[in-house]
Every structure is written in C-alpha cells, then in structure tokens.
C-alpha cells in the first residue's frame, strides 16, 4: 500500500499535514485559506478533490482557517471532539450536518486508524493524533506545553513525527513580546521549546530509522538552524546520529515539505 505524508504548512500563520494510505487521504488541520491549501497541495501534485476528510486538533485560527471552505468546496466530513466543535463552530461557517463528525475515541477513515490523545494547550479540548497504517505509525505532536510520560508512551517509536520545537527560550525572553504572551508561550498550556524537544526526542526514537520534522517554529523567537542544532546536540549526547538513526528537518511556514513515502526506503537521509 502506498503511504505518503507531508507537512503543508507549520507555524503561527497556518498548520496542515497531509496523510495518504492507498486510496484514502486526509488533512490534519487546515489553517491556511482554501486557496492556500490548494496551492500547497498542487505543489506536491495532490488533488484536494481526492481528500476523504479533515481532522482538527483544536480551534485556534491557525489550525481551522480553511476547514469550513474546504468542507463545503469538496464535500468533506470534519472530525473533531465535542469540545473542539464547541470552540470552532462559529468560525467554520455553515457545515452540512452529515459532514459534522464527533469522535470520542479512536476512529477509522478507510485504511487510516486514528488515535487522538489529550495535549496541554489553551484551547477547549485539544488533541494530538497517532495515525496507524498497516505497520507504519505517524505522529502529530504540536501545540502542547507539556509532554508527559503518558503521551510519550503513545507516540514513541513512530515512523514519522511532526514534533513541536516552537521557540528558543532565550530568544523568547529577550524578545519584544509582552510579558503575558511570553508566559503563555512557555507555560504548561503553551508550546514546547527547542530545549524541551531536545530532551524529549531521544526517548522517542527506536531502530526503525524515523523521519522527524521539527514543527511550529516561531518566526519571531526561533529559526530553523537554532532549532536543528539544539535538538541535534541532544541526539548526539544520547548516541544517536542523523543520517544513521533517523532523518531530521524543519517544517516551514511558507512552503510544504517533500512528500515522504513511508512504504519504501529512500536514499534521502539529510533533510536540513
């Protein structure tokens, strides 16, 4: 079965991740405009009309901006829990009743199995997702201020990680953001820092040569080189080497990642 995934956009201006298994495909979050999402998909030769569903992690605008228009334009069901529906519904516009799907636990979309898990963020009922396809595992883990042992147990050993590395703490604290916003970002309902992710990632890696995309990088309080170096240093200290034990790169706000094939080996090991 052909298994593909790509991060179409990641950051405070819009987030969206594409996953395909065989003939079934979904977007997790759709935080760009409808046109923006179509353009990102077109850049990868993907057809939005082939999508089967939209999944929402939480109701913040950078995750749902295009959800309503994409649902109406392509007649797509929207999957979210009850709390997220309550927070998002007024921003989505008119949604066909049959496209309003409320999950309370694991669910299937064709060959894709989704296991939502609770995260710590200042939203109504935010979740990350573990997606399983045959023997492959894809993890979306962003927009959380806490990564506890329960979450680590759910997400470790994935073949593909979209893993938050939002800010460099020094850049955040010496930057121009107001004090309340700095506290919100680094708080338990905010975002993981580079240091948080550096401490976390070695615990998640198994011997299946996973791909790790550092995600939701702040344009103001981070940059890809700083995030990569911080996390890579921790990997080295743990005896792990990019190119030998894993692939690693940074997802961007202004362009899509490559379309990664998970059902076959690739020679492309360096992503940064």
């Amino acid at each position: 079965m052909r298994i593909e995934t790509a991060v179409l956009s990641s950051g405070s201006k819009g987030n969206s991740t594409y996953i395909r298994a065989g003939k079934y495909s979904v977007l997790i979050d759709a935080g760009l405009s409808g046109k923006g999402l179509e353009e990102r998909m077109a850049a990868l030769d993907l057809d939005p009309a082939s999508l089967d569903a939209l999944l929402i992690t939480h109701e913040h605008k950078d995750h749902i901006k295009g959800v309503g228009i994409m649902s109406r334009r392509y007649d797509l069901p929207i999957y979210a829990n009850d709390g997220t529906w309550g927070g998002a519904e007024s921003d989505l516009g008119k949604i066909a009743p049959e496209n309003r799907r409320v999950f309370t636990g694991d669910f299937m979309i064709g060959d894709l199995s989704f296991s939502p898990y609770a995260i710590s963020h200042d939203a109504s009922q935010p979740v990350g997702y573990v997606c399983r396809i045959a023997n492959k595992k894809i993890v979306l883990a962003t927009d959380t201020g806490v990564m506890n042992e329960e979450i680590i147990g759910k997400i470790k050993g994935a073949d593909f990680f979209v893993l938050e590395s939002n800010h460099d703490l020094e850049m955040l604290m010496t930057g121009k953001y107001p004090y309340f916003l700095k506290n919100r970002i680094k708080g338990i309902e905010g975002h993981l820092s580079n240091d948080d992710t550096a401490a976390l990632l070695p615990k998640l890696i198994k011997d299946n040569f996973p791909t790790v995309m550092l995600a939701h990088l702040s344009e103001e309080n981070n940059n890809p080189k700083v995030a990569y170096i911080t996390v890579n240093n921790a990997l080295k200290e743990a005896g792990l080497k990019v190119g030998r034990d894993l692939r690693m790169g940074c997802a961007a706000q202004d362009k899509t990642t490559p379309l990664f094939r998970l059902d076959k080996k690739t020679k492309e090991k360096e992503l940064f």
Side-chain angles (χ1 to χ4, degrees):
M1 185 192 311
R2 189 182 184 97
I3 303 171
E4 298 174 323
T5 187
V7 183
L8 303 183
S9 180
S10 184
S12 60
K13 295 177 183 175
N15 298 273
S16 187
T17 298
Y18 171 86
I19 301 175
R20 174 186 175 185
K23 66 179 182 178
Y24 297 96
S25 61
V26 305
L27 293 183
I28 299 181
D29 291 332
L32 300 174
S33 67
K35 180 180 179 181
L37 291 162
E38 290 167 344
E39 289 174 347
R40 298 291 172 94
M41 292 188 72
L44 297 172
D45 294 322
L46 302 174
D47 182 4
S50 70
L51 289 169
D52 294 285
L54 305 170
L55 285 63
I56 304 177
T57 59
H58 64 289
E59 71 272 17
H60 290 169
K61 199 68 170 236
D62 57 326
H63 294 261
I64 67 167
K65 182 177 180 180
V67 169
I69 186 62
M70 292 292 283
S71 178
R72 289 185 288 274
R73 187 172 292 170
Y74 299 104
D75 191 27
L76 294 172
I78 302 167
Y79 288 77
N81 57 33
D82 191 60
T84 297
W85 271 111
E89 206 151 16
S90 61
D91 292 318
L92 297 181
K94 187 175 181 180
I95 302 299
E98 64 272 19
N99 285 335
R100 189 181 187 280
R101 309 289 175 88
V102 181
F103 63 75
T104 57
D106 296 358
F107 59 95
M108 297 283 296
I109 300 173
D111 295 312
L112 298 105
S113 173
F114 290 96
S115 298
Y117 62 91
I119 57 176
S120 179
H121 198 52
D122 54 354
S124 298
Q125 197 179 350
V127 298
Y129 288 100
V130 175
C131 176
R132 292 180 177 85
I133 310 134
N135 65 337
K136 299 297 182 181
K137 179 177 176 181
I138 298 171
V139 161
L140 184 70
T142 68
D143 296 82
T144 184
V146 172
M147 192 62 73
N148 57 36
E149 291 302 318
E150 182 179 357
I151 297 175
I152 291 171
K154 294 176 185 295
I155 69 175
K156 67 181 179 181
D159 299 279
F160 191 92
F161 291 92
V162 183
L163 183 61
E164 181 164 66
S165 192
N166 176 257
H167 59 277
D168 175 84
L169 188 57
E170 183 176 355
M171 291 174 67
L172 173 68
M173 297 310 294
T174 59
K176 64 182 181 181
Y177 279 9
Y179 188 69
F180 80 88
L181 184 54
K182 292 177 181 181
N183 278 341
R184 179 250 171 191
I185 290 169
K186 69 184 184 71
I188 62 171
E189 292 188 334
H191 296 275
L192 296 179
S193 70
N194 296 338
D195 291 334
D196 292 331
T197 302
L200 169 68
L201 186 54
K203 302 176 184 178
L204 304 180
I205 301 298
K206 292 191 175 180
D207 60 357
N208 55 337
F209 195 72
T211 297
V212 179
M213 298 308 303
L214 303 179
H216 215 303
L217 273 66
S218 169
E219 293 180 307
E220 179 70 29
N221 303 303
N222 208 356
N223 69 61
K225 287 185 179 180
V226 169
Y228 185 95
I229 290 170
T230 303
V231 177
N232 193 38
N233 284 343
L235 291 170
K236 289 178 181 178
E237 289 179 7
L240 297 167
K241 183 178 179 181
V242 174
R244 184 192 67 196
D245 301 299
L246 70 156
R247 295 184 297 180
M248 187 168 72
C250 296
Q253 179 72 82
D254 58 352
K255 62 181 179 181
T256 181
T257 68
L259 187 63
F260 294 98
R261 286 284 300 271
L262 301 188
D263 56 303
K264 66 175 186 178
K265 293 182 179 180
T266 175
K267 294 180 180 179
E268 183 191 14
K269 293 185 177 182
E270 298 291 348
L271 300 178
F272 186 80

